């Protein structure tokens, strides 16, 4: 009884596993997102080689260029880790610097994607051209939309940080944003391997 | 087994912090109120889907009938299926998840109360959006499975399919968020001592169902997105002449669709797994086996989807694989049935209405399960697929399984929710009329199917000689419809003058029966400690728990504030999807911007901040 | 509930004893090897499921009577489970499942085995009618009523021209979907669905489309005429000969023996040069009907020996011999033909054929309404009915 009352005292922080509920919930959401991208990727894979007319993947993909943008996105994940570290330590300058790097790298990746899309359209590969065009643009487009949401999220955190609203107690909100960012990054690695690298 | 004798207040005293006006319902984040809203809304759509079914049955009363046109008929059967699955069966289960699960595990609310409100409002707006199609004369008309390429702009140029593809997308968002919420709630908000293997079966089945929601809904979401792109942006996903494969739609739909069947039926299994022990005065027989069987059904449910596609030409190897996996899934389902029967065996069975519906499920779901075994055999399915035999089969599963299970839950938990018992006499009348109406409606369909009547047909030729079976079905359908009115009458009457229920009118063993009926808005003044699976059946444990749960605290526990933002965000999400209908790529972004504003306001709102007025 | 059990069981038995004559579309009156295999399997599974159902219901009834609470009921023993029983009722059903799965999988492979030699018929689903082609017989085409010989293995090669349909004639066997032919890059094969069977009885068998395909899905019937090899060959010959305007009987036979349908070009040439060479036996109504057909219908419909340009609508050769029109919907007679031609939408919503007053349709209409008077419609109907 005394024990129960003690628990009840601070009950909206009580959890049976000791994990924060936002974290558990967000992991669950990421699980759901895996199925989402998994289905989009499967669609791409089953339509591989089914395009009736060009341009075909080999005609348009520029592997070195995409490797650079992939590398930039990977590095942004590293910056994300350092940003979280900064917030947890209460080092505002470090946190803001690395959050800034995440934002810039994320934007660079989006810039590459914008260039790639316009270039492909110029080459004749449109959304409507073939099943390759349809599956490629929808898959990478949805990934790009996720990156965009991530960049907006990071900008919001950055502004909060500027206004001194990211104390170490709020590290969890950065951690969850980081989970999202790493997830989006990993999805891109899978896309890069399955779509670009495997002929 | 003595019924609890703790000196408990029969109903909770007037609460101070709860408002009752319309605004308080719109902004509520209380899982119990949200549960009630889910329940009432799903009951309303049960009426809508039911009326659609009755018009369908009238049209089929005689061969070559011209009561309604083929175009209207096709809209009716499409909306009947879509409504009953997405607007009735799923939300009804979610209504129970909401109200019951936190009480069963000893939690004050769900993990994310505002997200929970958001799920509800999206469901409501999505349901309204879907049904607005009736008023513009373009209700969806390509069946609830919406097979490509009939849904392409070439073959369905109207708004009908637009409403369907966008409406289901909206509803999917709601379900995924609900799944996330309940998984987190069950993992994280169990009272001390409520180990996973002590959770009531209903909570367990909610847990499994939530995993299925979170994993299956994204698959249909992608399928719908691909279809929407085909329709609005002229892509080629399902366009055979451009290299797309219409059969891919069937795969995606059923990869979602079969887990969906278990999303629908597992909650009902959960309900009766709690009801049967309570009214047999015996613990559930083989608790771990029933749990694992449920989990196993959830897993294997992912590997059986192509048994819906035996006629689509997958080849003998794929056919054989799906024959085998489908037959295997019958085994854990059978095991559940045997365990329910073993629970009753040696018990002291009280035939309350809730128990009768539970027994009805055991008896009638078995019929649907066994006809399912018939078409798990691919060659036999080549005859039965898409015939009325299949219509009979899945109505035995859905009505005989899910609806009876949910009715059982209504009679079982009504006293907890309202503090009053439903009338048992009316309840028994409701039970028997449901059973008679149900069998009269759906049993003859086995015959019309056997004799060659395909499903989704506006009419049938007299020479098929299936008129008598259709007439029986029609009569039965009206009987079944009327029986449901008995439930409404019972609810209305009992709300006003039903017998007052104590906090544990059934002498049931689980935690929700340890708190007053109806519960305080904070559920538990302090969190009780659980030491067994049937805490209220062990006298010591019950005394310890009820000392906590029936205690009136001097200061009430702090609960999250109501919030206006869930309904704003839900509106934004619905509008975003609805604006896709314009076919202009940037217009939906306006809705998205509105949604984003709502999300920001939400994110910076402190749910526990004390208001100045209090 | 007990009161309904017995009748339900008896009704279940009736499932197996239905008589085919009363139920022309019955799935439990097999007349081919394919349908026989399915039916044999079905009967096996039916009895297994009846055994389980009876067992479950009897035990359940016993429990409900025996263990109901009585005033003197003692507190039930709190049993939590029994491992042995759990194992037993897992293994028991598993064995039954194996007993069902083995013949099932055998049948899956047996029914999809491609016969070494068979008559291939191409089945093409359209919104809302069926086209049947005989690629091994000079590419002859007919619609809605499929003729096949008894005793010869037949392979139906099934696909669709628009949306997904499903070919289902229950007495001949199970259904297969008619999928739209997915275009593939060069060098890859198109994917068809197949049904293989050998008919064991002559007669007319009814079926219909079994995959929802749009407004008039329910009005998309099939009739299959199983006949002796001689009858079938004669029918093919008549189909090939068609209804040429000036060709005599003997010339028509010559054309058939060459294995090709009668040439069309001369018939058309005759049209252009006027009617003076028409055989004297021809009735003026027939001539007028044919001219109206050529002027108004031949863009979509073909009649062998008259005009074979129209390929998007049913081939009308030997129409007078068919038992039904509009895909099994109406009895074949002149009045029904008049009704059908004059106002197809009232007969079959969503049909693509324009009527006298045509208002829209699906896909959006690209051809005008008929330029015919009601009298002319009757003349055309008379002419079509005379095509025997």
């Amino acid at each position: 009884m005394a024990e129960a009352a003690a628990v009840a005292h601070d009950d909206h922080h009580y959890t049976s596993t000791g994990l924060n509920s936002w974290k558990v919930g967000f992991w669950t959401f990421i699980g759901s997102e895996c199925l989402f991208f998994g289905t989009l990727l499967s669609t791409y894979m089953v339509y591989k080689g089914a395009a009736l007319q060009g341009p075909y993947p080999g005609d348009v993909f520029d592997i070195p260029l995409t490797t650079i943008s992939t590398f930039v996105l990977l590095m942004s994940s590293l910056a994300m880790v350092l940003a979280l570290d900064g917030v947890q330590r209460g080092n505002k300058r470090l946190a803001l610097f690395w959050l800034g790097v995440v934002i810039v790298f994320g934007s660079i990746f989006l810039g590459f994607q914008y260039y790639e899309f316009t270039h492909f359209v110029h080459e004749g590969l449109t959304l409507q051209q073939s099943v390759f065009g349809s599956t490629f643009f929808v898959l990478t487009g949805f990934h790009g939309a996720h990156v965009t949401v991530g960049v907006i999220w990071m900008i919001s955190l950055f502004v909060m940080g500027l206004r001194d609203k990211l104390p170490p107690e709020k590290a969890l909100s950065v951690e969850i944003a980081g989970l999202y960012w790493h997830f989006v990054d990993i999805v891109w690695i899978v896309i890069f391997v399955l779509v670009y690298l495997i002929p | 087994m003595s019924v609890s004798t703790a000196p408990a207040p029969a109903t909770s005293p007037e609460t101070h912090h709860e408002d009752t006006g319309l605004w308080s319902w719109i902004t509520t984040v209380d899982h119990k109120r949200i549960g009630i809203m889910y329940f009432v809304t799903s009951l309303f759509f049960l009426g809508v889907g039911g009326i659609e079914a009755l018009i369908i049955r009238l049209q089929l009363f005689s061969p070559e009938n011209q009561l309604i046109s083929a175009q209207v008929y096709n809209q009716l059967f499409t909306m009947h299926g879509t409504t009953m699955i997405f607007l009735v069966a799923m939300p009804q289960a979610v209504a129970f998840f909401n109200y019951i699960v936190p009480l069963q595990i000893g939690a004050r609310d769900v993990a994310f109360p505002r997200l929970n409100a958001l799920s509800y409002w999206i469901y409501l707006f999505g349901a309204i959006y879907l049904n607005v199609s009736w008023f513009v004369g373009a209700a969806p008309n390509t069946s609830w499975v919406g097979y490509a390429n009939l849904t392409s702009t070439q073959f369905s140029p109207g708004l009908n399919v637009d409403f369907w593809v966008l409406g289901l997308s909206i509803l999917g968002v709601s379900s995924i968020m609900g799944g996330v919420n309940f998984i987190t709630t069950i993992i994280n908000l169990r009272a001390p001592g409520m180990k996973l293997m002590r959770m009531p079966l209903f909570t367990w089945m909610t847990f499994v169902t939530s995993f299925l929601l979170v994993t299956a809904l994204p698959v249909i979401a992608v399928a719908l997105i691909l279809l929407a792109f085909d329709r609005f942006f002229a892509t080629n996903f399902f366009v055979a002449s451009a290299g797309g494969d219409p059969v891919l739609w069937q795969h995606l739909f059923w990869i979602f669709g079969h887990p969906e069947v278990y999303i629908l039926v597992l909650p009902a299994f959960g309900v009766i797994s709690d009801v049967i022990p309570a009214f047999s005065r015996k613990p559930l027989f083989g608790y771990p086996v029933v749990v694992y069987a449920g989990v196993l059904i959830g897993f294997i449910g992912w590997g059986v989807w192509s048994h819906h596609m035996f006629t689509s030409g997958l080849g003998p190897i794929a056919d054989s694989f799906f024959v085998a996996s489908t037959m295997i899934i019958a085994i854990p389902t059978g095991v559940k049935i045997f365990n329910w029967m073993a629970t009753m065996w040696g018990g002291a069975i009280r035939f309350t209405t809730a128990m009768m519906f539970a027994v009805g499920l055991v008896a009638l779901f078995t019929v649907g399960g066994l006809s399912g075994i018939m078409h798990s055999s691919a060659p036999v399915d080549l005859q039965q697929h898409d015939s009325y035999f299949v219509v009979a089969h899945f109505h035995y599963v859905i009505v005989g399984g899910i609806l009876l299970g949910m009715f059982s839950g209504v009679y079982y938990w009504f006293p907890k929710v309202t503090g009053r018992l439903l009338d048992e006499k009316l309840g028994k009348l409701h039970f028997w009329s449901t059973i008679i109406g149900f069998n009269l409606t759906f049993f003859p369909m086995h015959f019309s199917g056997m004799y060659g009547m395909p499903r989704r047909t506006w009419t049938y030729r007299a020479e098929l000689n299936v008129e008598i079976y259709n007439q029986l079905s029609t009569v039965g359908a009206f009987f079944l419809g009327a029986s449901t009115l008995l439930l409404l009458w019972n609810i209305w009457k009992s709300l006003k003058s039903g017998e007052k229920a104590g906090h544990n009118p059934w002498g049931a063993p689980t935690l929700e029966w340890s708190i007053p009926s109806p519960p305080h808005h904070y559920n538990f003044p302090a969190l009780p400690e659980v030491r067994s699976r049937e805490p209220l059946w062990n006298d010591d444990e019950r005394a310890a728990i009820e000392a906590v749960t029936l205690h009136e605290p001097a200061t009430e526990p702090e609960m999250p504030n109501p919030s206006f933002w869930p309904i704003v965000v839900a509106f934004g999400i619905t509008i975003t999807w609805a604006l896709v209908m314009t076919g202009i790529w940037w217009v939906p972004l306006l809705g998205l911007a509105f949604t984003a504003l709502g999300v920001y306001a939400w994110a910076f709102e402190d749910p526990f901040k004390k208001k100045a007025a209090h | 509930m007990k009161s309904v059990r017995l009748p339900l069981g008896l009704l279940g038995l009736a499932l197996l004893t239905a008589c085919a004559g009363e139920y022309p579309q019955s799935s439990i009156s097999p007349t081919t090897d394919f349908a026989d295999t399915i039916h044999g399997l079905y009967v096996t599974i039916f009895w297994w499921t009846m055994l389980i159902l009876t067992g479950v219901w009897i035990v359940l009834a016993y429990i409900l009577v025996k263990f109901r609470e009585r005033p003197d009921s003692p507190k039930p023993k709190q049993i939590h489970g029994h491992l042995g029983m759990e194992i037993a009722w897992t293994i028991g059903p598993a064995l039954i499942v194996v007993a069902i799965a083995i013949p099932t999988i055998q049948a899956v492979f047996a029914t999809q085995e491609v016969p070494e030699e068979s008559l291939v018929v191409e089945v093409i689903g359209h919104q809302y009618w069926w086209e049947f082609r005989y690629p091994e017989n000079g590419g002859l085409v007919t619609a809605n009523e499929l003729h096949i010989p008894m005793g010869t293995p037949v392979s139906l090669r099934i696909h669709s021209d628009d949306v997904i349909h499903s070919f289902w004639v229950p007495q001949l066997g199970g259904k297969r979907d008619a999928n739209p032919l997915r275009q593939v890059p060069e060098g890859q094969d198109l994917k068809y669905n197949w049904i293989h069977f050998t008919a064991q009885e002559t007669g007319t068998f009814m079926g219909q489309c079994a995959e929802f395909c749009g407004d008039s899905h329910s009005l998309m019937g099939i009739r299959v005429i199983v006949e002796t090899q001689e009858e079938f060959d004669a029918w093919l010959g008549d189909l090939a000969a068609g209804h040429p305007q000036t060709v005599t009987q003997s010339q028509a036979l010559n054309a058939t023996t060459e294995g090709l349908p009668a040439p069309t070009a001369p018939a058309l040439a005759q049209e252009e040069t006027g009617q003076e060479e028409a055989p004297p036996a021809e009735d003026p109504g027939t001539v007028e009907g044919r001219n109206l057909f050529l002027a108004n219908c031949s863009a979509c419909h073909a009649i062998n020996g008259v005009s074979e340009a129209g390929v998007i609508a049913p081939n009308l050769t030997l129409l007078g011999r068919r038992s039904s029109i509009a895909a099994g919907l109406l009895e074949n007679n002149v009045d029904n033909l008049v009704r059908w031609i004059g106002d197809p939408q009232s007969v079959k919503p969503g049909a693509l054929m324009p009527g006298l007053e045509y208002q829209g349709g699906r896909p959006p209409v690209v051809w005008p309404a008929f330029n015919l008077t009601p009298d002319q419609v009757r003349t055309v109907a008379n002419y079509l009915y005379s095509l025997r």
Side-chain angles (χ1 to χ4, degrees):
Chain A
M1 178 70 207
E3 219 179 278
V7 168
H9 177 66
D10 196 14
D11 52 272
H12 60 258
H13 291 298
Y14 162 80
T15 67
S16 9
T17 55
L19 294 168
N20 180 284
S21 287
W22 277 102
K23 233 184 208 171
V24 175
F26 207 81
W27 274 108
T28 316
F29 170 71
I30 285 179
S32 189
E33 285 272 81
C34 285
L35 267 290
F36 181 85
F37 279 107
T39 311
L40 279 174
L41 261 169
S42 310
T43 307
Y44 181 87
M45 298 306 280
V46 300
Y47 278 163
K48 213 163 184 177
L52 298 181
Q53 51 191 359
Y56 299 104
D59 304 336
V60 289
F61 285 160
D62 182 348
I63 307 283
L65 188 82
T66 314
T67 308
I68 295 171
S69 73
T70 305
F71 181 74
V72 170
L73 196 63
L74 263 178
M75 286 304 105
S76 77
S77 255
L78 181 65
M80 189 68 234
V81 173
L82 295 169
L84 176 62
D85 184 57
V87 175
Q88 279 167 342
R89 288 206 223 159
N91 187 333
K92 180 182 166 188
R93 283 182 51 189
L94 210 62
L96 284 180
F97 174 76
W98 287 115
L99 270 179
V101 172
V102 175
I103 293 165
V104 171
F105 280 15
S107 308
I108 291 174
F109 175 82
L110 289 174
F112 270 109
Q113 194 169 37
Y114 178 77
Y115 168 76
E116 191 185 38
F117 278 20
T118 44
H119 176 69
F120 285 4
V121 170
H122 188 71
E123 298 266 307
L125 183 71
T126 60
L127 194 57
Q128 294 85 9
Q129 176 71 6
S130 63
V131 287
F132 168 55
S134 299
T135 49
F136 173 80
F137 283 115
V138 170
L139 170 62
T140 54
F142 267 96
H143 179 265
H146 276 73
V147 177
T148 311
V149 169
V151 168
I152 294 172
W153 194 345
M154 295 306 153
I155 293 174
S156 314
L157 289 174
F158 188 83
V159 173
M160 281 171 75
L162 274 183
R163 294 186 184 173
D164 287 325
K165 284 185 176 163
L166 274 187
E169 308 85 74
K170 288 250 179 158
L172 184 75
S173 53
V174 181
E175 195 179 339
I176 286 175
L179 269 181
Y180 176 82
W181 192 260
H182 298 316
F183 167 72
V184 169
D185 195 359
I186 290 166
V187 168
W188 180 256
I189 304 292
V190 178
I191 293 176
F192 182 60
V193 171
L194 290 182
V195 174
Y196 288 83
L197 294 187
I198 296 177
Chain B
M1 181 86 233
S2 61
V3 179
S4 163
T5 49
T11 54
S12 65
E14 285 307 306
T15 49
H16 321 293
H17 287 246
E18 261 197 314
D19 302 323
T20 50
L22 181 65
W23 186 252
S24 75
W25 285 88
I26 288 175
T27 59
T28 188
V29 294
D30 179 351
H31 72 99
K32 296 182 288 303
R33 286 185 161 207
I34 293 170
I36 291 169
M37 292 197 288
Y38 261 111
F39 182 74
V40 171
T41 314
S42 67
L43 216 51
F44 172 78
F45 283 107
L46 178 67
V48 174
I51 289 167
E52 284 158 1
L54 292 180
I55 303 173
I56 289 171
R57 284 314 323 168
L58 279 179
Q59 163 64 20
L60 294 178
F61 187 75
S62 52
E64 288 152 55
N65 198 355
Q66 297 279 349
L67 179 73
I68 52 174
S69 69
Q71 287 93 338
V72 170
Y73 182 89
N74 294 342
Q75 297 178 36
L76 280 169
F77 85 73
T78 301
M79 285 301 284
H80 169 70
T82 307
T83 302
M84 288 305 199
I85 302 247
F86 293 102
L87 309 186
V88 179
M90 284 171 82
Q92 197 137 67
V94 175
F96 283 102
F97 295 176
N98 258 296
Y99 204 100
I100 303 303
V101 167
L103 304 185
Q104 282 197 331
I105 61 173
R108 295 245 169 83
D109 207 318
V110 293
F112 309 110
R114 290 181 297 174
L115 194 69
N116 198 22
L118 177 63
S119 293
Y120 170 73
W121 293 114
I122 295 179
Y123 155 56
L124 179 68
F125 291 153
I128 292 172
Y129 172 77
L130 205 51
N131 279 281
V132 161
S133 61
W134 284 116
F135 298 100
V136 299
N141 59 353
T142 53
S143 95
W144 90 277
V145 300
Y147 272 15
N149 52 348
L150 180 61
T151 50
S152 64
T153 32
Q154 185 189 353
F155 298 108
S156 296
L159 289 176
N160 315 54
V161 178
D162 295 349
F163 273 112
W164 185 78
V165 64
L166 299 175
L168 288 196
S169 304
I170 296 167
L171 294 167
V173 175
S174 161
S175 299
I176 291 175
M177 291 188 316
V180 168
N181 213 340
F182 283 99
I183 288 173
T184 313
T185 305
I186 294 171
I187 288 182
N188 245 1
L189 296 189
R190 283 166 287 132
M194 178 62 83
K195 295 179 179 161
L196 286 178
M197 289 312 269
R198 283 181 187 162
M199 296 195 309
L201 244 292
F202 179 69
T203 297
W204 251 113
M205 290 305 110
T206 304
F207 197 41
V208 177
T209 304
S210 300
F211 272 104
L212 290 176
L213 281 173
V214 163
T215 47
L217 265 298
V219 180
I220 185 77
V222 168
L224 292 167
I225 285 169
L226 301 185
L227 177 58
F229 267 85
D230 268 8
R231 289 186 64 83
F232 297 110
F233 306 114
T235 50
N236 311 309
F237 290 108
F238 305 118
V239 183
S241 60
D245 187 0
V247 178
L248 177 68
W249 168 271
Q250 298 178 25
H251 283 291
L252 294 178
F253 187 88
W254 289 115
I255 288 173
F256 147 78
H258 206 81
E260 168 72 17
V261 173
Y262 297 110
I263 287 171
L264 296 175
V265 81
L266 288 178
F269 284 0
V271 170
I272 72 159
S273 301
D274 281 358
V275 167
I276 289 178
F279 294 111
S280 305
R281 299 190 192 280
K282 258 186 77 205
L284 184 66
F285 191 91
Y287 172 99
V289 178
V290 178
V291 169
Y292 292 139
V295 175
L296 205 60
I297 289 172
F299 268 105
I300 307 176
W302 279 91
V304 301
W305 79 87
S306 282
H307 69 212
H308 297 269
M309 299 167 59
F310 283 144
T311 64
S312 71
L314 302 167
I317 293 168
D319 282 355
S320 302
F321 173 84
F322 287 103
V323 164
S325 62
T326 305
M327 288 184 178
I328 287 169
I329 208 169
I331 298 170
T333 314
V335 165
K336 276 185 175 263
I337 300 225
F338 297 136
N339 277 293
W340 291 324
M341 287 164 62
T343 305
M344 291 186 264
W345 186 283
I349 302 171
R350 280 175 293 165
F351 285 100
T352 60
T353 310
M355 183 62 175
M356 289 166 84
F357 272 111
V359 172
L361 186 154
V362 175
L364 293 175
F365 180 83
T366 307
V367 176
L370 291 173
S371 57
I373 292 192
M374 292 180 189
H375 31 260
S376 74
S377 173
V380 175
D381 184 59
L382 295 184
Q383 288 286 19
Q384 296 175 347
H385 176 78
D386 269 349
S387 76
Y388 259 79
F389 192 88
V390 166
V391 179
H393 157 73
F394 68 72
H395 280 96
Y396 267 85
V397 173
I398 292 182
V399 183
I402 298 157
L403 194 72
L404 296 190
M406 288 302 151
F407 282 166
S408 173
V410 170
Y411 282 89
Y412 184 57
W413 281 307
F414 188 85
K416 178 52 59 189
V417 176
T418 63
R420 288 173 189 273
L421 291 160
L422 280 168
D423 188 308
E424 281 289 309
K425 232 180 188 168
L426 261 177
K428 277 167 192 161
L429 196 62
H430 172 219
F431 170 76
W432 285 112
S433 56
T434 303
I435 295 295
I436 293 168
F438 163 70
N439 283 298
L440 193 56
T441 310
F442 298 110
F443 200 79
M445 288 184 186
H446 289 109
F447 294 91
S448 33
M450 281 281 157
Y451 295 141
M453 181 169 164
R455 68 193 281 203
R456 300 177 179 137
T457 43
W458 160 62
T459 190
Y460 52 95
R461 284 163 294 146
E463 56 196 342
L464 259 51
N465 213 4
V466 292
E467 180 176 9
I468 180 69
Y469 304 113
N470 280 288
Q471 286 176 341
L472 288 171
S473 287
T474 303
V475 172
F478 277 87
F479 205 92
L480 187 59
S483 80
T484 311
L485 294 180
L486 284 176
L487 174 67
L488 294 182
W489 163 243
N490 197 349
I491 289 176
W492 191 70
K493 186 178 155 223
S494 304
L495 273 178
K496 283 202 323 192
S497 57
E499 193 189 326
K500 291 251 165 109
H503 71 291
N504 191 359
W506 313 120
T510 44
L511 211 52
E512 76 270 30
W513 301 105
S514 70
I515 54 175
S517 312
H520 295 294
H521 68 111
Y522 50 81
N523 298 350
F524 296 89
L527 300 186
E529 191 172 342
V530 178
R531 296 200 297 262
S532 69
R533 242 172 239 162
E534 289 88 22
L536 304 190
W537 277 358
N538 307 322
D539 290 339
D540 294 351
E541 196 178 351
R542 188 185 66 234
I545 288 173
E546 288 183 344
V548 176
T549 53
L550 296 176
H551 173 71
E552 295 290 332
T555 52
E556 291 184 343
E558 190 188 12
M559 295 301 290
N561 290 325
S563 173
F564 176 61
W565 298 113
I567 194 171
V568 171
V569 174
F571 184 73
I573 290 174
T574 311
I575 285 295
T576 306
W577 283 107
L579 287 178
V580 173
M581 270 183 142
T582 59
I584 306 167
W585 67 270
W586 55 266
V587 174
L589 296 183
L590 299 177
L592 208 56
F594 182 83
T595 311
L597 287 179
V599 169
Y600 268 98
W602 170 324
F604 290 105
E605 177 188 61
D606 181 354
F608 286 98
K609 193 177 178 181
K610 289 271 181 290
K611 276 183 277 183
H614 285 275
Chain C
M1 202 183 324
K2 269 169 279 157
S3 57
V4 291
R5 268 178 216 151
L6 188 64
L8 289 188
L10 289 177
L11 280 169
L13 290 184
L15 281 173
L16 292 172
T17 53
C19 163
E22 297 169 66
Y23 300 103
Q25 213 157 291
S26 167
S27 64
I28 46 176
S29 320
T31 67
T32 70
D33 55 342
F34 176 39
D36 263 343
T37 306
I38 292 176
H39 190 60
L41 198 55
Y42 167 68
V43 171
T44 308
I45 299 174
F46 178 83
W47 287 115
W48 275 119
T49 55
M50 279 302 124
L51 185 75
I52 300 169
L53 187 66
T54 321
V56 167
W57 277 5
I58 288 174
V59 175
L60 186 61
Y62 174 80
I63 290 172
L64 296 183
V65 173
K66 167 93 183 172
F67 298 110
R68 64 188 316 151
E69 187 181 49
R70 294 178 174 82
D72 57 342
S73 289
K75 184 186 172 185
K77 232 174 114 187
Q78 302 293 293
I79 304 162
H80 287 269
H82 188 282
L83 186 64
M85 296 189 73
E86 301 286 354
I87 292 172
W89 62 49
T90 306
I91 290 181
L95 291 177
I96 295 179
V97 159
V98 170
I100 294 173
I102 289 173
T104 290
I105 291 174
Q106 283 171 338
V108 164
F109 281 90
T111 53
Q112 297 188 44
E113 199 178 329
V114 182
E116 280 178 19
E117 225 171 281
S118 59
L119 170 71
V120 174
V121 184
E122 191 168 359
V123 174
I124 307 170
H126 298 264
Q127 279 180 325
Y128 305 98
W129 60 283
W130 294 92
E131 180 176 356
F132 303 110
R133 294 174 173 266
Y134 297 82
E136 294 165 359
N137 301 82
L140 287 170
V141 183
T142 188
N144 295 329
E145 295 193 4
L146 169 66
H147 288 246
I148 49 169
M150 187 184 74
T152 306
V154 175
S155 294
L156 303 181
R157 188 172 84 181
I158 305 167
H159 64 100
S160 158
D161 189 47
D162 36 52
V163 303
I164 300 176
H165 305 275
S166 195
F167 182 88
W168 188 32
V169 183
Q171 286 185 257
L172 302 186
K175 61 183 77 63
R176 279 282 173 206
D177 290 356
N179 292 326
L181 265 191
R182 180 185 177 198
Q183 293 306 303
V184 290
E186 270 176 58
Q188 295 180 18
D189 292 331
L190 292 169
K191 188 181 173 300
Y192 296 94
N193 277 341
W194 293 88
I195 294 177
H196 310 284
F197 63 88
T198 305
Q200 293 157 341
E201 284 176 31
T202 58
T204 301
F205 302 102
M206 300 216 294
Q208 68 187 94
C209 176
E211 180 60 69
F212 181 69
C213 61
D215 286 351
S216 285
H217 162 60
S218 51
L219 307 178
M220 190 171 160
I222 307 162
R223 288 190 188 191
V224 178
I225 292 106
V226 179
E227 50 204 1
T228 60
Q229 188 70 46
E230 296 75 41
E231 288 168 333
F232 176 70
D233 289 339
W235 176 80
L236 272 183
D238 292 347
L239 187 64
H243 313 282
Q245 174 189 355
T246 56
V247 184
T248 65
Q249 195 66 22
S250 61
Q251 281 171 312
L253 282 175
N254 287 340
T256 321
T257 51
E258 287 160 24
L260 286 166
T264 313
L268 282 174
Q270 293 298 334
E271 282 304 322
E272 283 155 13
T273 55
Q275 302 296 320
E276 59 275 354
E277 283 178 53
E282 262 195 350
D283 161 315
T286 305
V287 176
E288 195 195 338
R290 179 166 53 227
N291 288 340
L292 287 168
F293 169 85
L294 285 166
N296 293 284
C297 317
S298 63
C300 305
H301 293 277
I303 295 174
N304 295 356
V306 176
S307 160
E308 288 172 33
V311 291
I312 64 167
N315 185 306
L316 300 177
T317 313
L318 304 181
L319 184 84
R321 286 196 200 173
R322 294 186 194 160
S323 59
S324 67
I325 56 167
L329 182 56
L330 299 174
E331 194 193 332
N332 188 6
N333 59 43
V334 173
D335 285 340
N336 279 339
L337 275 165
V338 168
R339 191 181 147 206
W340 174 225
I341 300 167
D343 188 7
Q345 293 303 312
S346 79
V347 177
K348 190 185 271 192
L352 298 184
M353 183 159 71
L356 287 184
E357 291 174 45
Y358 192 54
Q359 298 166 339
R362 213 182 62 182
V365 167
V366 290
W367 53 85
F370 292 152
N371 192 16
L372 290 177
T373 65
D375 280 349
Q376 286 173 318
V377 169
R378 186 159 286 275
T379 308
V380 172
N382 274 320
Y383 166 67
L384 293 176
Y385 194 66
S386 75
L387 302 176
R388 285 165 182 279

